[in-house]
Protein backbone atom coordinates (compact mmCIF):
# COMPACT_ATOMS: atom_id res chain seq x y z
CA UNK A 1 0.00 0.00 0.00
CA UNK A 2 1.54 3.32 -1.08
CA UNK A 3 1.49 6.58 0.86
CA UNK A 4 -0.70 7.95 -1.95
CA UNK A 5 -3.31 5.26 -1.24
CA UNK A 6 -3.20 6.12 2.47
CA UNK A 7 -3.60 9.81 1.70
CA UNK A 8 -6.51 9.09 -0.64
CA UNK A 9 -8.30 7.01 2.03
CA UNK A 10 -7.62 9.67 4.65
CA UNK A 11 -9.19 12.27 2.35
CA UNK A 12 -12.17 9.96 1.74
CA UNK A 13 -12.74 9.61 5.50
CA UNK A 14 -12.64 13.40 5.91
CA UNK A 15 -15.11 13.84 3.03
CA UNK A 16 -17.56 11.28 4.49
CA UNK A 17 -17.28 12.80 7.96
CA UNK A 18 -18.23 16.18 6.53
CA UNK A 19 -21.13 14.71 4.53
CA UNK A 20 -22.56 11.99 6.80
CA UNK A 21 -21.14 12.62 10.24
CA UNK A 22 -18.47 11.09 12.45
CA UNK A 23 -20.25 7.87 13.40
CA UNK A 24 -22.26 7.03 10.30
CA UNK A 25 -21.74 3.59 8.77
CA UNK A 26 -20.20 4.95 5.54
CA UNK A 27 -17.61 6.87 7.54
CA UNK A 28 -16.92 3.90 9.80
CA UNK A 29 -16.38 1.51 6.87
CA UNK A 30 -13.99 3.95 5.18
CA UNK A 31 -12.15 4.46 8.47
CA UNK A 32 -11.71 0.68 8.76
CA UNK A 33 -10.19 0.60 5.25
CA UNK A 34 -7.88 3.48 6.18
CA UNK A 35 -6.72 1.64 9.30
CA UNK A 36 -5.89 -1.42 7.20
CA UNK A 37 -3.87 0.70 4.76
CA UNK A 38 -2.00 2.34 7.65
CA UNK A 39 -1.21 -1.09 9.12
CA UNK A 40 0.09 -2.34 5.77
CA UNK A 41 2.28 0.75 5.28
CA UNK A 42 3.80 0.44 8.77
CA UNK A 43 2.06 3.44 10.38
CA UNK A 44 1.01 1.34 13.33
CA UNK A 45 0.15 3.93 15.97
CA UNK A 46 -2.24 5.77 13.66
CA UNK A 47 -3.67 2.39 12.58
CA UNK A 48 -4.50 1.65 16.24
CA UNK A 49 -6.25 4.99 16.57
CA UNK A 50 -8.32 4.50 13.40
CA UNK A 51 -9.24 0.89 14.20
CA UNK A 52 -10.38 1.95 17.68
CA UNK A 53 -12.63 4.63 16.19
CA UNK A 54 -13.97 2.18 13.60
CA UNK A 55 -14.68 -0.39 16.31
CA UNK A 56 -16.62 2.21 18.27
CA UNK A 57 -18.65 3.04 15.17
CA UNK A 58 -19.46 -0.61 14.39
CA UNK A 59 -20.32 -1.34 18.04
CA UNK A 60 -22.72 1.60 18.21
CA UNK A 61 -24.42 0.57 14.95
CA UNK A 62 -24.50 -3.24 15.26
CA UNK A 63 -23.48 -4.11 18.82
CA UNK A 64 -20.25 -5.51 20.28
CA UNK A 65 -20.94 -9.11 19.17
CA UNK A 66 -21.68 -8.43 15.50
CA UNK A 67 -19.32 -10.05 12.98
CA UNK A 68 -18.30 -6.65 11.55
CA UNK A 69 -17.42 -5.40 15.02
CA UNK A 70 -15.46 -8.54 15.86
CA UNK A 71 -13.53 -8.37 12.57
CA UNK A 72 -12.52 -4.81 13.38
CA UNK A 73 -11.47 -5.86 16.88
CA UNK A 74 -9.46 -8.74 15.44
CA UNK A 75 -7.65 -6.38 13.07
CA UNK A 76 -6.93 -3.98 15.93
CA UNK A 77 -5.38 -6.87 17.87
CA UNK A 78 -3.15 -7.70 14.89
CA UNK A 79 -1.70 -4.18 14.98
CA UNK A 80 -1.16 -4.41 18.74
CA UNK A 81 0.65 -7.70 18.15
CA UNK A 82 2.97 -6.02 15.65
CA UNK A 83 3.60 -3.28 18.22
CA UNK A 84 4.58 -6.02 20.72
CA UNK A 85 1.84 -4.97 23.11
CA UNK A 86 1.37 -8.63 23.89
CA UNK A 87 -1.08 -8.51 26.79
CA UNK A 88 -3.45 -6.10 25.04
CA UNK A 89 -3.39 -8.25 21.88
CA UNK A 90 -4.01 -11.45 23.85
CA UNK A 91 -6.96 -9.86 25.63
CA UNK A 92 -8.59 -8.74 22.38
CA UNK A 93 -7.95 -12.03 20.54
CA UNK A 94 -9.41 -13.89 23.51
CA UNK A 95 -12.50 -11.69 23.39
CA UNK A 96 -12.90 -12.22 19.62
CA UNK A 97 -12.45 -15.99 19.99
CA UNK A 98 -15.00 -16.22 22.79
CA UNK A 99 -17.64 -14.22 20.92
CA UNK A 100 -17.12 -16.11 17.65
CA UNK A 101 -17.19 -19.50 19.41
CA UNK A 102 -20.49 -18.62 21.10
CA UNK A 103 -22.02 -17.36 17.87
CA UNK A 104 -20.55 -19.68 15.21
CA UNK A 105 -19.23 -22.68 17.12
CA UNK A 106 -15.68 -23.71 18.10
CA UNK A 107 -14.78 -25.23 14.70
CA UNK A 108 -15.95 -22.39 12.44
CA UNK A 109 -13.16 -20.93 10.26
CA UNK A 110 -13.50 -17.48 11.85
CA UNK A 111 -13.28 -18.98 15.33
CA UNK A 112 -10.19 -20.96 14.37
CA UNK A 113 -8.65 -17.83 12.87
CA UNK A 114 -9.01 -16.02 16.19
CA UNK A 115 -7.59 -19.01 18.09
CA UNK A 116 -4.59 -19.17 15.76
CA UNK A 117 -3.99 -15.43 16.16
CA UNK A 118 -4.09 -15.84 19.93
CA UNK A 119 -1.45 -18.58 19.75
CA UNK A 120 0.73 -16.50 17.42
CA UNK A 121 0.93 -13.83 20.13
CA UNK A 122 1.87 -16.42 22.77
CA UNK A 123 4.68 -17.62 20.50
CA UNK A 124 6.00 -14.13 19.78
CA UNK A 125 5.79 -13.27 23.45
CA UNK A 126 7.96 -16.31 24.17
CA UNK A 127 5.40 -18.33 26.10
CA UNK A 128 6.11 -21.45 24.07
CA UNK A 129 4.99 -24.00 26.65
CA UNK A 130 1.53 -22.46 26.89
CA UNK A 131 1.26 -22.35 23.10
CA UNK A 132 2.34 -26.00 22.81
CA UNK A 133 -0.41 -26.98 25.24
CA UNK A 134 -3.07 -25.22 23.15
CA UNK A 135 -1.99 -26.21 19.63
CA UNK A 136 -3.30 -29.84 19.60
CA UNK A 137 -6.90 -28.66 19.99
CA UNK A 138 -6.68 -26.19 17.11
CA UNK A 139 -4.94 -28.77 14.87
CA UNK A 140 -7.77 -31.25 15.55
CA UNK A 141 -10.39 -28.57 14.86
CA UNK A 142 -8.71 -27.59 11.59
CA UNK A 143 -8.61 -31.22 10.48
CA UNK A 144 -12.32 -31.53 11.27
CA UNK A 145 -13.26 -28.29 9.47
CA UNK A 146 -10.86 -28.17 6.52
CA UNK A 147 -9.54 -31.73 6.25
CA UNK A 148 -6.10 -33.08 7.17
CA UNK A 149 -4.49 -32.22 3.82
CA UNK A 150 -5.87 -28.69 3.48
CA UNK A 151 -3.34 -25.87 3.24
CA UNK A 152 -4.72 -24.15 6.35
CA UNK A 153 -4.41 -27.33 8.41
CA UNK A 154 -0.88 -27.93 7.14
CA UNK A 155 0.14 -24.36 8.00
CA UNK A 156 -1.19 -24.65 11.57
CA UNK A 157 0.53 -28.03 11.93
CA UNK A 158 3.85 -26.52 10.79
CA UNK A 159 3.46 -23.68 13.31
CA UNK A 160 2.86 -26.26 16.04
CA UNK A 161 5.93 -28.20 14.92
CA UNK A 162 8.04 -25.01 15.01
CA UNK A 163 7.02 -24.44 18.64
CA UNK A 164 7.88 -28.03 19.57
CA UNK A 165 11.21 -27.74 17.77
CA UNK A 166 12.10 -24.59 19.69
CA UNK A 167 11.24 -26.41 22.92
CA UNK A 168 13.56 -29.28 21.92
CA UNK A 169 10.69 -31.79 21.69
CA UNK A 170 11.86 -33.19 18.38
CA UNK A 171 10.24 -36.61 18.64
CA UNK A 172 6.87 -34.86 18.87
CA UNK A 173 7.79 -32.82 15.79
CA UNK A 174 8.09 -36.05 13.81
CA UNK A 175 4.67 -37.17 15.07
CA UNK A 176 2.98 -33.85 14.27
CA UNK A 177 4.40 -33.55 10.76
CA UNK A 178 3.95 -37.22 9.96
CA UNK A 179 7.40 -37.33 8.35
CA UNK A 180 10.97 -37.21 9.54
CA UNK A 181 11.97 -33.77 10.81
CA UNK A 182 15.67 -34.53 10.40
CA UNK A 183 17.88 -32.96 7.73
CA UNK A 184 21.56 -33.46 6.89
CA UNK A 185 23.46 -30.93 9.01
CA UNK A 186 25.66 -29.86 6.11
CA UNK A 187 22.66 -29.17 3.91
CA UNK A 188 21.07 -27.01 6.62
CA UNK A 189 24.27 -24.96 7.01
CA UNK A 190 24.66 -24.45 3.27
CA UNK A 191 21.06 -23.19 3.21
CA UNK A 192 21.89 -20.73 6.00
CA UNK A 193 25.01 -19.61 4.11
CA UNK A 194 22.96 -18.90 0.99
CA UNK A 195 20.45 -16.90 3.05
CA UNK A 196 23.22 -14.79 4.59
CA UNK A 197 24.81 -14.23 1.19
CA UNK A 198 21.49 -13.21 -0.36
CA UNK A 199 20.43 -10.78 2.37
CA UNK A 200 23.85 -9.65 3.72
CA UNK A 201 22.03 -9.04 7.01
CA UNK A 202 24.26 -9.25 10.06
CA UNK A 203 24.07 -12.61 11.90
CA UNK A 204 23.24 -11.73 15.49
CA UNK A 205 22.80 -15.38 16.47
CA UNK A 206 22.27 -18.77 14.89
CA UNK A 207 21.66 -22.29 16.14
CA UNK A 208 21.68 -25.11 13.58
CA UNK A 209 21.53 -28.88 13.81
CA UNK A 210 20.00 -31.83 12.02
CA UNK A 211 16.65 -30.52 13.27
CA UNK A 212 16.95 -27.33 11.22
CA UNK A 213 18.16 -23.84 12.06
CA UNK A 214 17.02 -20.68 13.80
CA UNK A 215 18.68 -17.42 12.75
CA UNK A 216 18.39 -13.94 14.17
CA UNK A 217 19.61 -11.35 11.67
CA UNK A 218 20.09 -7.64 12.29
CA UNK A 219 19.52 -4.83 9.82
CA UNK A 220 22.29 -2.44 8.80
CA UNK A 221 23.19 0.03 6.08
CA UNK A 222 24.77 -2.47 3.66
CA UNK A 223 21.95 -5.04 3.52
CA UNK A 224 21.04 -6.43 0.09
CA UNK A 225 17.38 -6.86 0.98
CA UNK A 226 14.51 -4.67 2.06
CA UNK A 227 13.52 -7.04 4.87
CA UNK A 228 12.96 -4.87 7.92
CA UNK A 229 12.76 -5.64 11.63
CA UNK A 230 9.87 -7.92 12.52
CA UNK A 231 9.99 -9.91 9.27
CA UNK A 232 10.29 -13.69 9.25
CA UNK A 233 11.56 -15.96 6.51
CA UNK A 234 10.93 -19.71 6.42
CA UNK A 235 12.45 -22.54 4.42
CA UNK A 236 10.29 -25.56 5.15
CA UNK A 237 12.48 -27.81 3.01
CA UNK A 238 15.44 -27.24 5.34
CA UNK A 239 13.65 -26.36 8.57
CA UNK A 240 15.19 -22.88 8.60
CA UNK A 241 13.40 -20.08 10.45
CA UNK A 242 14.91 -16.60 10.16
CA UNK A 243 13.77 -13.57 12.16
CA UNK A 244 14.96 -10.00 11.50
CA UNK A 245 15.52 -7.70 14.48
CA UNK A 246 16.21 -4.02 14.96
CA UNK A 247 19.67 -3.41 16.50
CA UNK A 248 18.05 -1.14 19.07
CA UNK A 249 16.13 -4.14 20.46
CA UNK A 250 19.34 -6.02 21.33
CA UNK A 251 20.73 -6.03 24.90
CA UNK A 252 23.85 -4.29 23.54
CA UNK A 253 22.73 -2.45 20.39
CA UNK A 254 24.97 -1.57 17.48
CA UNK A 255 24.76 1.26 14.98
CA UNK A 256 22.35 0.32 12.14
CA UNK A 257 24.06 2.92 9.93
CA UNK A 258 27.23 0.81 9.87
CA UNK A 259 27.89 -1.33 6.79
CA UNK A 260 28.33 -4.91 8.03
CA UNK A 261 28.19 -6.60 4.64
CA UNK A 262 31.77 -7.84 4.86
CA UNK A 263 31.12 -9.57 8.17
CA UNK A 264 27.89 -11.16 6.92
CA UNK A 265 29.67 -12.44 3.79
CA UNK A 266 32.56 -13.72 5.89
CA UNK A 267 30.25 -15.75 8.08
CA UNK A 268 28.39 -16.99 4.99
CA UNK A 269 31.70 -18.23 3.55
CA UNK A 270 32.55 -20.01 6.79
CA UNK A 271 29.12 -21.60 7.09
CA UNK A 272 29.25 -22.78 3.50
CA UNK A 273 32.71 -24.30 3.96
CA UNK A 274 31.72 -25.94 7.23
CA UNK A 275 28.50 -27.20 5.64
CA UNK A 276 30.47 -28.85 2.82
CA UNK A 277 32.79 -30.48 5.34
CA UNK A 278 29.90 -31.79 7.45
CA UNK A 279 28.15 -33.11 4.35
CA UNK A 280 31.26 -35.16 3.54
CA UNK A 281 31.64 -36.20 7.17
CA UNK A 282 28.06 -37.43 7.42
CA UNK A 283 28.48 -39.40 4.20
CA UNK A 284 31.59 -41.05 5.64
CA UNK A 285 30.26 -41.61 9.16
CA UNK A 286 26.89 -42.89 8.02
CA UNK A 287 23.42 -41.34 7.87
CA UNK A 288 22.25 -39.99 11.21
CA UNK A 289 25.57 -40.47 13.02
CA UNK A 290 26.73 -36.86 12.82
CA UNK A 291 25.18 -35.26 15.91
CA UNK A 292 26.35 -31.69 16.20
CA UNK A 293 24.99 -28.25 16.86
CA UNK A 294 26.50 -25.18 15.23
CA UNK A 295 26.26 -21.75 16.82
CA UNK A 296 27.09 -18.28 15.52
CA UNK A 297 27.45 -15.72 18.25
CA UNK A 298 29.33 -12.54 19.09
CA UNK A 299 30.85 -12.23 22.54
CA UNK A 300 31.69 -8.52 22.52
CA UNK A 301 28.64 -6.48 21.51
CA UNK A 302 28.76 -3.85 20.22
CA UNK A 303 32.46 -4.26 19.21
CA UNK A 304 32.12 -5.50 15.64
CA UNK A 305 35.71 -5.27 14.41
CA UNK A 306 36.13 -8.99 15.09
CA UNK A 307 33.68 -11.29 13.28
CA UNK A 308 31.31 -13.53 15.20
CA UNK A 309 32.69 -16.96 16.00
CA UNK A 310 31.28 -20.25 14.79
CA UNK A 311 30.98 -22.83 17.53
CA UNK A 312 30.57 -26.53 16.83
CA UNK A 313 29.29 -28.64 19.73
CA UNK A 314 29.81 -32.38 19.20
CA UNK A 315 29.64 -33.53 22.80
CA UNK A 316 26.79 -35.93 22.16
CA UNK A 317 28.66 -37.83 19.48
CA UNK A 318 30.09 -41.14 20.59
CA UNK A 319 33.84 -41.23 21.28
CA UNK A 320 34.26 -43.48 18.24
CA UNK A 321 32.43 -41.05 15.97
CA UNK A 322 34.42 -38.11 17.32
CA UNK A 323 37.68 -39.93 16.60
CA UNK A 324 36.55 -40.74 13.07
CA UNK A 325 35.43 -37.13 12.64
CA UNK A 326 38.88 -35.86 13.69
CA UNK A 327 40.45 -38.06 11.03
CA UNK A 328 38.04 -36.72 8.44
CA UNK A 329 38.94 -33.12 9.25
CA UNK A 330 42.54 -33.88 8.31
CA UNK A 331 41.52 -35.44 4.99
CA UNK A 332 38.67 -33.34 3.57
CA UNK A 333 39.37 -30.24 1.44
CA UNK A 334 38.47 -27.79 4.25
CA UNK A 335 41.39 -28.84 6.43
CA UNK A 336 43.06 -26.54 9.00
CA UNK A 337 45.56 -24.02 7.69
CA UNK A 338 49.21 -24.05 8.67
CA UNK A 339 49.01 -21.72 11.67
CA UNK A 340 50.64 -23.46 14.67
CA UNK A 341 47.91 -22.37 17.09
CA UNK A 342 45.22 -23.84 14.88
CA UNK A 343 47.12 -27.11 14.54
CA UNK A 344 47.61 -27.37 18.31
CA UNK A 345 43.87 -26.72 18.75
CA UNK A 346 43.02 -29.59 16.44
CA UNK A 347 45.30 -32.11 18.11
CA UNK A 348 44.77 -30.93 21.65
CA UNK A 349 41.03 -31.47 22.10
CA UNK A 350 39.42 -34.85 22.39
CA UNK A 351 35.95 -33.31 22.59
CA UNK A 352 36.35 -30.99 19.63
CA UNK A 353 38.55 -28.99 17.33
CA UNK A 354 39.53 -25.39 16.63
CA UNK A 355 40.44 -24.52 13.06
CA UNK A 356 40.46 -21.67 10.59
CA UNK A 357 38.57 -22.47 7.42
CA UNK A 358 40.47 -21.63 4.25
CA UNK A 359 37.31 -20.25 2.64
CA UNK A 360 37.01 -17.59 5.35
CA UNK A 361 40.40 -17.23 7.08
CA UNK A 362 39.28 -14.66 9.64
CA UNK A 363 36.38 -16.73 11.02
CA UNK A 364 37.27 -19.25 13.69
CA UNK A 365 35.37 -22.52 13.94
CA UNK A 366 35.70 -23.90 17.43
CA UNK A 367 34.12 -26.53 19.63
CA UNK A 368 35.06 -24.75 22.83
CA UNK A 369 34.57 -21.00 22.42
CA UNK A 370 31.52 -19.83 24.31
CA UNK A 371 30.43 -23.24 25.55
CA UNK A 372 31.22 -22.35 29.14
CA UNK A 373 28.38 -19.81 29.04
CA UNK A 374 25.92 -21.95 27.09
CA UNK A 375 24.31 -25.12 28.50
CA UNK A 376 24.99 -28.38 26.71
CA UNK A 377 22.15 -29.58 24.47
CA UNK A 378 19.92 -32.35 25.67
CA UNK A 379 20.11 -35.76 23.92
CA UNK A 380 17.01 -34.93 21.88
CA UNK A 381 18.59 -31.69 20.65
CA UNK A 382 21.92 -33.03 19.46
Amino acid sequence: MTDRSVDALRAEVARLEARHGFRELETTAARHDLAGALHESGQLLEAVEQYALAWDGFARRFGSSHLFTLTCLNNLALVLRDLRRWDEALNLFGQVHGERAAMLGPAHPLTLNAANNFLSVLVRKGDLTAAADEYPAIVDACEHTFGPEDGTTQAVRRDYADVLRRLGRHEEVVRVLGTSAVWPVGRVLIGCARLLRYTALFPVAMTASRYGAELTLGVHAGARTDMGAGRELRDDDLGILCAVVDPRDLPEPYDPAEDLRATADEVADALGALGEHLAEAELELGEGRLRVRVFVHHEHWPRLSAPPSLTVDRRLMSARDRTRHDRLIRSVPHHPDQEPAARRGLLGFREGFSIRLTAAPRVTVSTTAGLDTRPAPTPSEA
Side-chain angles (χ1 to χ4, degrees):
M1 184 69 68
T2 64
D3 289 340
R4 171 178 286 183
S5 299
V6 171
D7 291 340
L9 286 169
R10 192 180 281 118
E12 177 68 7
V13 170
R15 184 184 69 82
L16 290 172
E17 280 185 1
R19 182 174 180 179
H20 299 289
F22 186 78
R23 292 192 174 93
E24 287 302 310
L25 181 59
E26 292 85 350
T27 307
T28 298
R31 193 185 304 282
H32 185 268
D33 292 342
L34 170 61
L38 290 166
H39 185 191
E40 189 175 341
S41 65
Q43 302 175 59
L44 302 184
L45 292 178
E46 188 178 354
V48 169
E49 179 184 350
Q50 294 298 328
Y51 269 134
L53 291 172
W55 175 85
D56 181 70
F58 283 130
R60 287 174 179 271
R61 178 65 180 268
F62 300 112
S64 61
S65 299
H66 192 275
L67 289 178
F68 287 173
T69 310
L70 294 175
T71 297
C72 184
L73 199 62
N74 182 80
N75 292 337
L76 172 58
L78 289 173
V79 184
L80 293 173
R81 181 189 67 181
D82 291 347
L83 284 169
R84 301 187 178 188
R85 290 159 61 173
W86 311 125
D87 292 337
E88 294 175 73
L90 286 172
N91 181 57
L92 293 188
F93 280 135
Q95 182 178 340
V96 172
H97 179 262
E99 294 282 1
R100 286 178 173 176
M103 184 188 311
L104 304 170
H108 190 277
L110 289 176
T111 308
L112 296 177
N113 172 263
N116 192 54
N117 287 337
F118 183 90
L119 291 182
S120 74
V121 178
L122 283 181
V123 173
R124 294 193 187 190
K125 185 181 179 182
D127 199 349
L128 300 180
T129 301
D133 291 340
E134 298 292 337
Y135 259 114
I138 189 174
V139 170
D140 290 343
C142 286
E143 290 184 350
H144 173 77
T145 300
F146 303 109
E149 304 303 323
D150 183 80
T152 300
T153 305
Q154 296 290 347
V156 173
R157 190 179 287 118
R158 284 196 299 270
D159 291 341
Y160 179 26
D162 284 339
V163 171
L164 294 173
R165 188 179 293 116
R166 291 169 64 180
L167 289 169
R169 293 156 58 176
H170 297 295
E171 293 181 1
E172 295 178 62
V173 173
V174 175
R175 176 181 58 77
V176 169
L177 294 180
T179 58
S180 175
V182 175
W183 294 270
V185 182
R187 189 175 163 213
V188 172
L189 287 182
I190 291 172
C192 293
R194 288 173 178 166
L195 179 63
L196 282 174
R197 175 70 68 185
Y198 171 74
T199 65
L201 293 175
F202 184 71
V204 174
M206 186 195 85
T207 303
S209 73
R210 63 198 186 110
Y211 292 109
E214 291 186 24
L215 294 88
T216 303
L217 303 181
V219 296
H220 61 89
R224 302 187 185 103
T225 176
D226 59 357
M227 285 202 304
R231 289 286 303 277
E232 288 188 351
L233 187 65
R234 295 173 181 266
D235 184 339
D236 292 327
D237 291 334
L238 292 176
I240 295 173
L241 174 62
C242 165
V244 183
V245 300
D246 190 309
R248 292 167 293 190
D249 293 334
L250 298 173
E252 298 181 65
Y254 61 87
D255 184 1
E258 191 169 356
D259 187 343
L260 300 172
R261 237 175 329 187
T263 301
D265 288 344
E266 203 169 345
V267 178
D269 288 342
L271 281 179
L274 181 60
E276 292 178 19
H277 157 66
L278 293 181
E280 296 183 48
E282 185 157 39
L283 183 64
E284 182 69 22
L285 291 172
E287 185 177 353
R289 299 201 65 83
L290 185 63
R291 290 172 165 258
V292 300
R293 294 185 85 190
V294 179
F295 303 93
V296 173
H297 62 284
H298 202 296
E299 296 179 343
H300 305 292
W301 293 102
R303 292 172 50 195
L304 299 173
S305 56
S309 62
L310 275 66
T311 302
V312 182
D313 186 348
R314 311 177 305 164
R315 287 176 291 178
L316 296 181
M317 292 177 68
S318 67
R320 177 170 175 260
D321 285 342
R322 283 198 302 268
T323 301
R324 293 175 64 197
H325 193 196
D326 287 341
R327 285 200 300 269
L328 287 169
I329 292 171
R330 292 188 282 268
S331 63
V332 296
H334 304 297
H335 54 75
D337 62 19
Q338 299 303 311
E339 293 186 11
R343 180 171 295 176
R344 285 197 299 272
L346 171 65
L347 299 178
F349 288 102
R350 174 185 175 85
E351 295 287 329
F353 59 95
S354 180
I355 65 175
R356 290 181 182 274
L357 296 175
T358 56
R362 293 188 298 277
V363 177
T364 300
V365 178
S366 170
T367 57
T368 56
L371 290 181
D372 54 339
T373 60
R374 183 182 293 105
T378 65
S380 65
E381 293 175 323

